Amino acid sequence: MITSKLPNVGITIFTQMSQLAAQTGAINLSQGFPDFDGPQSLRDAVGRHIASGHNQYSPMTGLPALRQQIAAKIARSYGVNVDADHEVTVTPGATQAIFCAIQAVIHSGDEVIVFDPCYDSYAPATELAGGRCVHVHLNPDDFSIDFDQLAAALSPRTKMIVINTPHNPSGALISRDELDQLAALIRDRDIYLISDEVYEHLVFDGVPHVSVLAHEELYQRAFVISSFGKTYHVTGWKTGYVVAPPALTAELRKVHQYVSFCGVTPLQYALADYMAEHPEHVEQLPGFYQAKRDLFCDLLAPSRFSFTRASGTYFQLVDYSQIRPDLNDVDMATWMTREHGVASIPVSVFYQNPPQGQRLIRLCFAKREETLREAAAKLCVI
Ligand code: PMP
Ligand code: GLN
C-alpha cells in the first residue's frame, strides 16, 4: 500500500485537455504552446553544437556564456545589473526552478501564500517540502491583488509569497504600485518571494512589464524566474533560469545540483549564440503576440463569448455565460472540445475553492493565423 505524498494530485488539466484534443481531432487552444517553430537559426545552432561535440554536462550553474547573455538582457530590459556568476542559474525549465526555489527555503510547517487562480505547480512543490499553501483570491474583475485579503492571510508561519506577472491564466500585470504595496506589507517580516515572470516579454498595449528585478527592496528576498520556452517559442526545450541575490542563489544551487545538476548543454550553447546575435528578438515579441491577440479577439467579437483583451501572456480568458450558463467550466471545456472542435482550459482548476458561478475558460492564442481563424470560426457558431 503506497502512502501517497500527493494524495490529491491527478493528471494535470493540461495533459487531460491536450489528450482529449488529440483524441477528438479538436483544435488545441488548451495547453499553452505555440503551433509554430522557434527561429530557424536558433534551431540550426542546436544541430551545430551537437555536431561539434557540445554534448557533455554543462557547469552546474549553467553555461557561462548563457548566464552572461541573461545578465546582458536584464540590463537592457530592466536597467539593472546582476552578477552572472553569483545571481544567475540556468535550470531545465521554469518548473524545475520553481520547485528548487521552494525546496531551498520552505521547511516543514511553513506557509506559502499563492494567489488563485494560480499556476498548478506551486502547491505540489510546497507540499513536497512539507509546507502548506495558503490561497488568496485575486480580485475577480481584474485579477489584481486584494491587499486586505493578503494582509489577513499573513501569519507568523508565512515564509514565502508567490507572484506571477504577467499572470497565467488571466493575462493581468502587476504594477509598480502593487509591488510597492507588497514591499511595505512584508518589510519587517522574514518572507521570501518567488516572482514567476515566464511571460515577461509578452506584454501588450505599450504597457511595460514591471520586473521584481528592478524593485531594489523586493529583489533582496526574491527568486525571479523566467523560461526560454516562452520567449523563443520552444516550450519543449524545457530551459529556464532563476535570478536571485547571492545568498539565495547559493541555497537554490544546493537543491538544483541534486534535482538535475544542470540543464541540457547544446540547448544552452544555442540560446547563448542566438541571444548574442539577436538582442532585438525580445523587443519584437510584444508586437508579435499583440497582433495574434488582436486578430483572435477581432475574430471572436461577433461570437457570444464576452471578454476583456488580455494585457499579457498568450492566453485569452472568455466568459461563456451567454452560451451555456448551465455548464460548469470543466463540462463546458469538454463539451466544446467534443461537440465544437476547440479545446480550452477551464479556469476553476487554478483555484483551491473556485468562485461559485464563474463561467470562464482560457484559450491559447500562440497559434498560426490559419489556426486562429479556423478556431474562431468554430467558436462563433456556438
Ligand atoms: N510558470 C507559469 C506561469 C507557466 O505558465 C509555465 C508554463 N508552463 C511555467 C511556469 C513553466 O515553464 P517551463 O515550461 O519552462 O517549465
Ligand atoms: N504552462 C502551460 C499552460 O499553462 C502548461 C505547461 C504544462 O503542461 N505543464 O498551459
Side-chain angles (χ1 to χ4, degrees):
M1 175 64 179
I2 301 169
T3 307
S4 176
K5 296 195 76 176
L6 294 170
N8 302 318
V9 163
I11 304 298
T12 78
I13 191 70
F14 307 116
T15 301
Q16 289 179 41
M17 291 310 299
S18 276
Q19 273 176 359
L20 187 61
Q23 274 164 23
T24 57
I27 300 174
N28 190 1
L29 305 190
S30 65
Q31 192 177 25
F33 61 87
D35 72 344
F36 47 88
D37 259 325
Q40 181 73 48
S41 60
L42 173 60
R43 288 181 285 130
D44 289 347
V46 179
R48 211 173 50 240
H49 284 292
I50 288 177
S52 68
H54 287 140
N55 299 303
Q56 308 309 330
Y57 297 126
S58 78
M60 177 273 279
T61 57
L63 207 68
L66 181 56
R67 284 188 282 100
Q68 277 148 21
Q69 286 302 323
I70 293 167
K73 189 211 72 170
I74 289 168
R76 281 195 306 275
S77 297
Y78 308 121
V80 289
N81 292 311
V82 297
D83 178 339
D85 289 333
H86 301 107
E87 295 180 271
V88 180
T89 308
V90 177
T91 61
T95 309
Q96 195 261 17
I98 292 163
F99 187 84
C100 291
I102 291 175
Q103 305 310 311
V105 299
I106 295 305
H107 293 252
S108 176
D110 287 346
E111 290 176 357
V112 176
I113 296 181
V114 298
F115 295 98
D116 285 0
C118 91
Y119 189 60
D120 67 344
S121 83
Y122 309 150
T126 301
E127 284 166 38
L128 289 174
R132 190 174 83 83
C133 263
V134 174
H135 296 254
V136 172
H137 279 204
L138 293 171
N139 286 313
D141 33 330
D142 62 357
F143 297 94
S144 58
I145 295 174
D146 179 335
F147 279 96
D148 293 334
Q149 267 208 56
L150 174 59
L154 290 174
S155 90
R157 292 180 170 219
T158 309
K159 206 45 186 255
M160 177 178 260
I161 297 175
V162 184
I163 58 173
N164 170 212
T165 182
H167 178 245
N168 180 6
S170 74
L173 311 182
I174 294 181
S175 66
R176 172 72 200 201
D177 181 55
E178 287 176 298
L179 288 187
D180 288 342
Q181 285 187 65
L182 178 61
L185 193 62
I186 61 177
R187 187 159 294 147
D188 302 318
R189 294 172 182 256
D190 184 18
I191 294 177
Y192 299 106
L193 190 68
I194 284 181
S195 188
D196 179 345
E197 302 184 11
V198 299
Y199 301 100
E200 63 180 320
H201 299 296
L202 279 59
V203 286
F204 312 133
D205 307 313
V207 180
H209 168 61
V210 179
S211 176
V212 164
L213 291 168
H215 196 287
E216 218 175 309
E217 183 179 351
L218 283 178
Y219 177 63
Q220 292 315 312
R221 48 174 89 212
F223 298 93
V224 181
I225 291 172
S226 192
S227 172
F228 293 108
K230 319 290 170 191
T231 302
Y232 296 97
H233 320 305
V234 287
T235 59
W237 286 17
K238 294 303 296 188
T239 303
Y241 60 90
V242 190
V243 185
L248 287 182
T249 291
E251 290 304 315
L252 174 104
R253 288 175 177 176
K254 288 184 192 173
V255 179
H256 161 74
Q257 69 182 346
Y258 294 121
V259 172
S260 59
F261 185 73
C262 64
V264 179
T265 303
L267 300 183
Q268 294 185 61
Y269 273 99
L271 285 161
D273 286 356
Y274 190 79
M275 288 176 83
E277 284 158 22
H278 296 282
E280 79 291 351
H281 174 89
V282 296
E283 283 147 36
Q284 291 167 353
L285 271 187
F288 176 79
Y289 272 114
Q290 184 173 329
K292 292 194 179 296
R293 179 203 65 172
D294 286 341
L295 171 71
F296 192 49
C297 288
D298 290 348
L299 291 167
L300 284 187
S303 77
R304 291 194 292 157
F305 292 98
S306 54
F307 54 86
T308 307
R309 287 176 194 233
S311 303
T313 74
Y314 46 46
F315 302 117
Q316 178 63 52
L317 291 189
V318 297
D319 185 308
Y320 62 89
S321 323
Q322 315 255 32
I323 302 174
R324 290 296 305 265
D326 57 312
L327 293 184
N328 69 39
D329 60 359
V330 175
D331 291 345
M332 176 69 183
T334 307
W335 175 76
M336 250 179 56
T337 309
R338 289 189 185 284
E339 304 299 323
H340 290 277
V342 181
S344 60
I345 295 288
V347 171
S348 63
V349 300
F350 296 82
Y351 287 87
Q352 185 184 45
N353 293 309
Q356 286 299 309
Q358 185 170 272
R359 294 284 181 264
L360 289 176
I361 52 173
R362 190 195 79 177
L363 299 166
C364 174
F365 58 79
K367 306 293 169 189
R368 286 169 289 152
E369 179 172 341
E370 65 209 77
T371 311
L372 294 175
R373 287 189 184 279
E374 207 187 324
K378 291 176 186 288
L379 293 168
C380 282
V381 296
I382 305 180

